[in-house]
Amino acid sequence: MSSALVQTDRLVTVRISDLAISADPGETIITYALGSCIAVMLWDPKVKLAGLLHYMLPTAKGSADPTKPPAMFADSGIPLLFEKMYQRGGTKENIAVKVAGGAAMGGPDLFEIGNRNVTALRKIFWKNGVLIAAEDVGGSSSRTVSIEVATGMVTVRTPEGARNL
């Protein structure tokens, strides 16, 4: 199995509640330690454009602090990620979507944040006619995910090992 970290020159790190877009074929976009959070990875093969969002919570509604970054929430972060892809030449028809995360960390999750995060993204995609090409969600393991800008290859690393998505 090839490793995204070996095949490219530079890593672009996405922190929690943030996103990144790149058209640089020498870059890999990566985010670390997804627990109940979700990573949404987009790739447009026609323009060789990749994007990655790392969101924490399903919805901004009811947030105590309206100044929180839009990328913190599924309902504001996912549309923002697509908008940034469109601004750089990506098109809905060409974009492949992959998702990872949504784990129940440390046993039963009283608030079921992981499950709620997965449900929120599925609702958003369903309402907008977006299909998920591949996913690695749920369970109880932390994940680190990366997407190669040049190829769109997504690698998911867990304590159990790595695999391409």
Side-chain angles (χ1 to χ4, degrees), residues 5-86:
L5 299 178
V6 174
Q7 295 179 353
T8 58
D9 300 329
R10 294 170 305 283
L11 290 178
V12 175
T13 301
V14 174
R15 299 190 192 301
I16 297 171
S17 302
D18 205 359
L19 60 84
I21 306 290
S22 177
D24 183 335
E27 291 183 342
T28 293
I29 308 172
I30 190 167
T31 194
Y32 298 93
L34 289 168
S36 61
C37 293
I38 300 278
V40 178
M41 290 129 316
L42 306 181
W43 191 62
D44 187 319
K46 295 247 179 172
V47 292
K48 302 282 195 248
L49 181 66
L52 189 150
L53 164 71
H54 182 150
Y55 74 84
M56 272 176 73
L57 297 168
T59 181
K61 293 178 183 123
S63 173
D65 184 355
T67 64
K68 296 286 186 196
M72 178 180 273
F73 308 99
D75 64 351
S76 52
I78 291 171
L80 180 61
L81 179 65
F82 274 87
E83 179 182 316
K84 291 196 175 289
M85 291 286 287
Y86 298 155

Side-chain angles (χ1 to χ4, degrees), residues 41 43 95-99 125 130-136 165:
M41 290 129 316
W43 191 62
I95 291 175
V97 178
K98 297 183 181 181
V99 297
F125 289 157
V130 174
L131 299 177
I132 298 171
E135 66 180 46
D136 186 347
L165 191 60

Side-chain angles (χ1 to χ4, degrees), residues 95-157:
I95 291 175
V97 178
K98 297 183 181 181
V99 297
M105 300 303 295
D109 179 359
L110 179 63
F111 298 106
E112 295 189 10
I113 298 298
N115 285 337
R116 289 176 46 216
N117 276 336
V118 172
T119 300
L121 80 86
R122 290 192 196 290
K123 284 181 180 178
I124 291 165
F125 289 157
W126 181 79
K127 283 182 181 178
N128 291 284
V130 174
L131 299 177
I132 298 171
E135 66 180 46
D136 186 347
V137 296
S140 58
S141 292
S142 175
R143 297 167 174 92
T144 292
V145 298
S146 60
I147 181 168
E148 290 182 2
V149 175
T151 65
M153 184 174 69
V154 170
T155 302
V156 178
R157 289 177 178 74

